[in-house]
Amino acid sequence: MSIPNILMVRIDNRLIHGQVGITWTNSLGANLVIVANDEAANNPVQQSLMDMVVSDGVQTRYFTLQKTIDVIHQAAERQKIFIVCKTPQDVLTLVRGGVPIRVVNVGNMHFSEGKRQVHKTVSVDENDTKAFRALEKFGISCEVRRVPDEAGENIANLLN
């Protein structure tokens, strides 16, 4: 069983959009974007919309969280993988399921009822905060960065 070449995991409640599909994939040199999201995995319309904003030559897969856990270790060495999730809880599910994640990029977590804004593009509630703290305990660095050339800010500093 080989260790999959996961370049980065991004939390973005919009999943794939232009910034993710083009800017991030290019700067990472990814050739495979895995959207690990139960809803998107079962929504072909959403998938085809997301496929339209991914760079040419980059493959996409839409997996449930469980399927991601089940198949990630079968990835080929040539696959340079960029995983996109919707929430920190989803990332934590992957980590607990044995997906070898080292770096989490926190992109967009929209404000909604019961959340507090901790950064321009990031709002969290109690559950989000717990999930980030749990990821930290796993030794995973979680930083807020909207675009690759922006300096990252550790989420732990923003949560206090």
Side-chain angles (χ1 to χ4, degrees):
M1 191 161 77
S2 64
I3 293 181
N5 186 3
I6 299 171
L7 306 173
M8 191 171 83
V9 175
R10 178 175 169 98
I11 296 170
D12 196 318
N13 56 327
R14 297 169 297 174
L15 298 172
I16 299 180
H17 50 92
Q19 218 176 30
V20 170
I22 311 270
T23 317
W24 277 106
T25 29
N26 291 352
S27 95
L28 289 167
N31 57 19
L32 173 62
V33 179
I34 296 176
V35 172
N37 179 266
D38 293 356
E39 282 161 52
N42 297 305
N43 187 333
V45 175
Q46 193 183 4
Q47 293 175 20
S48 57
L49 289 171
M50 288 194 264
D51 282 345
M52 291 183 343
V53 292
V54 175
S55 297
D56 289 345
V58 176
Q59 292 188 311
T60 50
R61 297 281 183 279
Y62 299 92
F63 292 157
T64 61
L65 295 172
Q66 189 55 53
K67 178 155 187 192
T68 305
I69 290 165
D70 294 343
V71 303
I72 195 72
H73 290 281
Q74 294 160 21
E77 268 175 55
R78 65 175 185 281
Q79 290 178 309
K80 297 180 176 63
I81 305 168
F82 178 24
I83 298 178
V84 183
C85 291
K86 210 165 213 167
T87 67
Q89 292 85 341
D90 288 354
V91 176
L92 188 56
T93 298
L94 295 180
V95 170
R96 287 185 172 141
V99 179
I101 294 169
R102 289 179 304 279
V103 178
V104 175
N105 162 250
V106 185
N108 290 281
M109 292 176 62
H110 283 327
F111 181 80
S112 60
E113 196 61 45
K115 294 199 177 219
R116 65 188 174 101
Q117 192 174 4
V118 294
H119 189 272
K120 277 188 286 253
T121 56
V122 179
S123 296
V124 297
D125 61 18
E126 199 49 46
N127 286 335
D128 299 327
T129 301
K130 279 187 185 137
F132 280 124
R133 298 228 194 279
L135 288 167
E136 210 181 358
K137 286 199 179 91
F138 276 106
I140 296 163
S141 140
C142 300
E143 57 171 35
V144 177
R145 266 172 84 194
R146 288 166 304 169
V147 289
D149 53 14
E150 182 176 77
E153 190 161 356
N154 193 314
I155 191 87
N157 303 340
L158 301 172
L159 295 176
N160 296 331

